[in-house]
Amino acid sequence: MSNSTPSYDPPLLGVRVVDLISGPMQNVGRHLVDLGASVTRVHLTGVTDDDRGFGPVVDGVPLGTAIATRGTRAVVIDRSTRAGRADWDELLTASDILLENTAPGSPAEAALDAAEIRKGHPALVLLSVSDFGRGNDFSTWQATTPVLHALTSELSRSGLPGRDPLVPPGELPYDVAAAQAAFLTLSVYLDRLRTGRGDRIDFSILDGAMQALDPAYGMTGSASAGVPLSALPRGRADERYKYPIIPCKDGFARICVLATRQWRGMFEWMGRPEEFAGPEYDKLIVRFRSSTLLPAIARHFADKTRAELEQQGQRYGVPTAGVLTLDEALTTEQIRARGFLRRVEIAPGLAGPIPAGVVEIDGARAWVDAAADAAVGRPSSAILASRPRTRDNLPLDGIRVLDLGVIVVGGDTGRLFGDLGADVIKIENSAFIDGARGSQGPAGMTPGFAAGHRNKRSIGINLRDPEGKRLVRELARSADVVLTNFKPGVMNSLGLDYASLEDVNPGIVVVDSSAFGPTGPWSKRLGYGPLVRAATGCTDQWVYPGEPGSFSDAITVYPDHVCARIGAMAALALLIRRERTVRGGSASIAQSEVMLSHFGSRIVAEELAEGGRAVTGGVHDAPWGVFAAAGDDEWVAVTVRGDADWAALCAVIERPDLMSDASLSTAAGRMTQRERVETAVSDWTAEHAPFDVMATLQAAGVPAGAMLRAIDLPEWEYCRGRNTFRVEDHPYGREPYVMENVQIHAESVAVPPLGPAPLLGEQTYRIAQDLLGLDEAQIDDLVSRGVLEVASRPQVR
C-alpha cells in the first residue's frame, strides 16, 4: 500500500468496512480509513440513491465528502439482479463492519433490511446512524446543526448575556458525533474478535453530539469550581472573566489566571502594582469580583502585540494565547512544523491542503493516502480471547487501563473505558491533585469528578519518588493501556512513556493528549481549552455575524470531550493491531489539530476560492437560525433545507402568501430575502411555546428544536426513552448526582456499571495487594514513607 509516512503501521490493517453513509457522518469512515481499515463505499440501488454530499462545492465536488472519502474504494451494486445480490452477499461475508444511515421508516431502510443482514451475517458489526435513533417516538424527527445545538443544551450556553443565543461555528455536532460513533464501533468490533458475535448499534447523532461536544452532565473544567452546568443561571451567563479576552496592539489575547501561581506571575508581569499587592488577591473569588483588575491588565496589554504577549506570558508562567483567525492559525510555526496540512488531489483536477489525520501512531501521522491493501489478513484475537471474562455484556471487560489523566480530556478518556467494562486504575497523588476534584480536595466529591471518574479505582502513588515510579512500572506489566495528558515530556522524564515501558510490557499501549502535540515549538505551552480555541481560529469564528470581537465561547469545554473519544478510539485500534503484531504502541492527540480538522472543508475551500475557483454552497437556505418563542428567554431553532421544507413551513405558519410568491420559490430567492422570511417565522414563533413549535414543525417534516437547558434534559421524553441519564447516590457526595448513562444502544451491550468515582487512594491497599503482590505490612511501610497514599476517609481493605 502507499503511505505518506513509510514508518506508519496502520493499526486497523485487515479490517474491512462497507460504508453506505451519506452526509456529514461520512467522517465515521474517515476515522477508520486513517487508522488503516479497508473501506468500500457502496452505491446500493434502492438504498443509497439519495447520496448526499456535504461541505462547500467546487466544480460539482462536495469538499467535505471528498475529504471524508479519500482512500476508499467505490462500487455500485444493484440487488435487483442475481449477480448484484451475489456481489452484495459476497461483500458482506468478506467484511467486518457495515456503516449505514438510512432514515428510520423510509423505503431505503426497508430495502436495506438490517434484520435480514444480521441473520445472514451474525458476525458483522452494523452501525446504524440516524438523527434521533430508531424505534422510538422521535425516530422520524430530523436534525440540522442548529437543532442539535438547541437540543443538546449547548445553544443555551453560547452567546453573550442579554443577547440572543448564538449558534457555534462549523458543523460541530456532526464532527464530534462521528468520533463517538467510530469509538463505539471499534469497541463492539474488538469484542467481536473475542466472541465471534457481531451486533447492531443504534446510533443517534443527537446522543453523540450530547455526549461528545459539551455534555451537560459530564466532566467540567477546573474553571467551573465544581459547579455543574445545570446550576448555571437562566440566560447566557457571563463567564468571560474566567478566561478573559483582552484587547492588545494588534488584536486580542486570551489569558488564564486561575491558580495562585498564575496570579503571582501576572502580578510580577504587571510590575507588582500596589493596588493588587494584598494577600487577598491570591484568592480566585477576590480576583473575579474585582472591578479594577481586568482594566489594569488591559492597560498593560494595550501597547503589546499578540506575539509579544505570548512570549512574555510564557516567561512569567501566565498561560496566554493570541486570538487568531483561522488563516493565521494555519500559518503558525507550530502547524508548519507538525505537518498537519498536506496538499493532495481531492478529486480529479482539484488539489488543495487537507488535514493529514488527527492522531499520531508511533510518532507517525495516522494518514492513509490510498485504499488499504485488502489482501492483508483479517485480525484475530489470540491475546484478548485468552483473557478471563466476568461481564460478557460489556465489550471492554478484561482490559486493564492505567489512568494518569487529569481534568476533562484525561478523566473522560478513562471513563469511556470504565463504562464499557475495563478495569480502570486512576494513579494520582495529593501533591499534584487532579484539578477536577475541585476545592473539596482529595476527600471530597464534585458532580464533575463523580461523572468523569466513575467506574474507576484509585491508587495513590508518589511519582516523584523513585520507588513510586517503580511501582507504576510494575502495574504496567499487567496493563493493556496507559492514558495521560501531562505536558509533553513529563511522561518521558518519569520513565513512563511507551519507549520506557516497552521493556516492561511489549504489548502496552500508551495514549497521550496535549494542547498542541508532542513536537513543535508550541509543544510545551500550557494548553487550557479556551486558549487552544483562541490559537486555532475557533474563538475568532464564535462571534455574532458582522460583530468582530463579540467572542462567545466562554463556557464551552470543546474540544476536550471529542479528543477523549479520539484518544480512546486510537487505543482500541492499537489493541486490535496488537493481535496481529503482538506489540503495543503509542498514540498522540493534539487537541488543536482535532479542532482544526473540524474546519477541513472550509480550509481547502478558501484556498481554492483565492485561486479563482468558484465555490458554492456553505450558505444555508432561509429560514435558518434561532427564533424567540413565547416565554422568558425561550428560543427555538428552525431550519429549512429546501423547497419541500419551505412548503411545509408555510403551511404550518399559515402563510399561503409566502408560498405563492414566485420570488421565494427557490433557495436562492429565499436567501436573497432572508430578512423578510425570518421576520415571518419570528412573528409566528413568538406566539407559541418552544416545545409546541418544535413538535408542530417536526410533525410536518421541518427540522426544529427547542433550546433546552442542562436542567431540562433528564426530564425530556426523548432522553427518558433513550435512558440517557441516571441518578447516582455517591457515598461521598452531598446529594444525588445526575450522570450520563447509556453509551451504546445495542442488544448485547449492558448499561454502564454503578461504580462510584473513588477518593484519592481509596483502593490503594487492594490494588497493591492484588496487582503488586505486597502484603499489608509492606503497604503500611510504603504509606508511612509517603510512597503510597491512602484515602483520608476510612476504607475497606
Side-chain angles (χ1 to χ4, degrees), residues 512-649:
D512 68 84
S513 178
S514 60
F516 299 103
T519 61
W522 290 10
S523 61
K524 298 295 171 44
R525 282 193 182 187
L526 288 172
Y528 297 95
L531 275 70
V532 180
R533 291 196 299 274
T536 54
C538 183
T539 296
D540 180 72
Q541 298 176 70
W542 206 315
V543 295
Y544 289 90
E547 297 184 44
S550 58
F551 306 116
S552 300
D553 68 330
I555 297 179
T556 182
V557 296
Y558 166 78
D560 293 62
H561 292 282
V562 65
C563 289
R565 271 73 186 170
I566 290 175
M569 174 185 68
L572 295 181
L574 284 169
L575 291 178
I576 292 167
R577 188 183 73 177
R578 186 177 67 174
E579 299 292 336
R580 169 169 57 88
T581 66
V582 191
R583 304 195 68 80
S586 65
S588 294
I589 294 89
Q591 295 166 34
S592 55
E593 293 170 2
V594 171
M595 192 181 305
L596 284 169
S597 74
H598 295 160
F599 300 98
S601 60
R602 174 179 166 180
I603 291 170
V604 68
E606 290 186 353
E607 176 169 303
L608 290 170
E610 289 173 3
R613 306 298 284 265
V615 179
T616 59
V619 179
H620 296 291
D621 205 332
W624 187 280
V626 181
F627 301 87
D632 175 25
D633 194 46
E634 299 287 0
W635 303 83
V636 62
V638 178
T639 53
V640 159
R641 301 160 299 176
D643 295 345
D645 286 356
W646 171 245
L649 174 69

Side-chain angles (χ1 to χ4, degrees), residues 356-439:
V358 293
V359 180
E360 289 175 293
I361 300 293
D362 304 328
R365 283 274 173 193
W367 155 266
V368 173
D369 196 28
D373 185 357
V376 175
R378 293 158 80 174
S380 63
S381 61
I383 297 173
L384 288 176
S386 64
R387 299 283 179 84
R389 300 284 298 271
T390 59
R391 296 173 292 188
D392 288 340
N393 55 359
L394 292 172
L396 303 186
D397 180 57
I399 293 172
R400 178 166 292 143
V401 176
L402 302 184
D403 181 6
L404 288 91
V406 296
I407 313 294
V408 180
V409 67
D412 215 30
T413 309
R415 193 268 301 179
L416 295 171
F417 280 88
D419 277 3
L420 296 180
D423 177 20
V424 181
I425 298 172
K426 183 169 174 60
I427 298 173
E428 52 183 334
N429 67 86
S430 56
F432 295 95
I433 191 168
D434 187 340
R437 287 193 180 274
S439 59

Side-chain angles (χ1 to χ4, degrees), residues 120-478:
H121 304 275
L124 196 66
V125 174
L126 173 56
L127 177 75
S128 290
V129 177
S130 60
D131 289 349
F132 289 85
R134 297 173 192 270
N136 66 69
D137 292 342
F138 297 82
S139 291
T140 59
W141 283 30
Q142 299 174 60
T144 57
T145 293
V147 170
L148 292 168
H149 278 304
L151 294 177
T152 61
S153 79
E154 172 74 359
L155 184 63
S156 70
R157 301 185 293 276
S158 177
L160 297 178
R163 298 285 303 274
D164 297 2
L166 175 66
V167 177
E171 310 295 334
L172 300 183
Y174 294 98
D175 295 320
V176 303
Q180 173 89 336
F183 163 67
L184 299 183
T185 300
L186 289 187
S187 299
V188 175
Y189 172 71
L190 186 69
D191 200 35
R192 190 217 89 166
L193 286 180
R194 298 190 280 182
T195 66
R197 182 184 66 243
D199 208 340
R200 185 186 190 190
I201 302 170
D202 170 19
F203 184 82
S204 156
I205 297 172
L206 177 58
D207 290 352
M210 197 179 295
Q211 294 174 352
L213 178 57
D214 196 3
Y217 293 94
M219 284 288 293
T220 51
S222 56
S224 72
V227 178
L229 295 177
S230 57
L232 288 173
R234 196 170 183 81
R236 265 60 62 209
D238 195 350
E239 303 285 305
R240 290 171 290 176
Y241 56 87
K242 291 179 178 176
Y243 293 91
I245 296 176
I246 298 170
C248 62
K249 186 175 182 180
D250 62 347
F252 297 87
R254 179 173 249 165
I255 60 173
C256 171
V257 187
L258 296 174
T260 300
R261 68 181 182 280
Q262 292 165 347
W263 159 243
R264 291 176 180 172
M266 186 76 246
F267 180 67
E268 293 291 334
W269 187 9
M270 295 171 67
R272 303 177 61 84
E274 183 64 28
E275 180 182 359
F276 308 111
E280 67 274 13
Y281 278 92
D282 280 351
K283 296 180 179 179
L284 189 65
I285 191 66
V286 172
R287 299 198 300 275
F288 281 173
R289 289 176 176 172
S290 172
S291 61
T292 58
L293 179 56
L294 283 182
I297 296 174
R299 290 192 295 273
H300 182 65
F301 279 22
D303 63 346
K304 301 174 182 65
T305 66
R306 292 170 295 179
E308 290 169 340
L309 291 171
E310 289 175 342
Q311 293 169 358
Q312 294 175 24
Q314 292 280 33
R315 186 186 317 152
Y316 286 98
V318 180
T320 306
V323 178
L324 305 182
T325 66
L326 182 60
D327 286 344
E328 289 173 332
L330 296 174
T331 59
T332 60
E333 54 184 353
Q334 179 68 11
I335 292 299
R336 289 198 300 267
R338 297 268 303 156
F340 170 68
L341 293 176
R342 293 189 183 171
R343 180 170 297 280
V344 299
E345 188 175 58
I346 305 163
L350 201 62
I354 67 173
V358 293
V359 180
E360 289 175 293
I361 300 293
D362 304 328
R365 283 274 173 193
W367 155 266
V368 173
D369 196 28
D373 185 357
V376 175
R378 293 158 80 174
S380 63
S381 61
I383 297 173
L384 288 176
S386 64
R387 299 283 179 84
R389 300 284 298 271
T390 59
R391 296 173 292 188
D392 288 340
N393 55 359
L394 292 172
L396 303 186
D397 180 57
I399 293 172
R400 178 166 292 143
V401 176
L402 302 184
D403 181 6
L404 288 91
V406 296
I407 313 294
V408 180
V409 67
D412 215 30
T413 309
R415 193 268 301 179
L416 295 171
F417 280 88
D419 277 3
L420 296 180
D423 177 20
V424 181
I425 298 172
K426 183 169 174 60
I427 298 173
E428 52 183 334
N429 67 86
S430 56
F432 295 95
I433 191 168
D434 187 340
R437 287 193 180 274
S439 59
Q440 297 183 54
M445 191 59 56
T446 64
F449 191 87
H453 292 276
R454 69 182 187 184
N455 295 318
K456 299 181 185 181
R457 301 188 288 162
S458 171
I459 182 171
I461 302 181
N462 182 358
L463 294 177
R464 284 182 163 182
D465 188 290
E467 198 162 0
K469 286 185 278 190
R470 182 186 66 79
L471 293 175
V472 175
R473 288 173 65 83
E474 285 300 309
L475 287 174
R477 288 186 187 277
S478 65

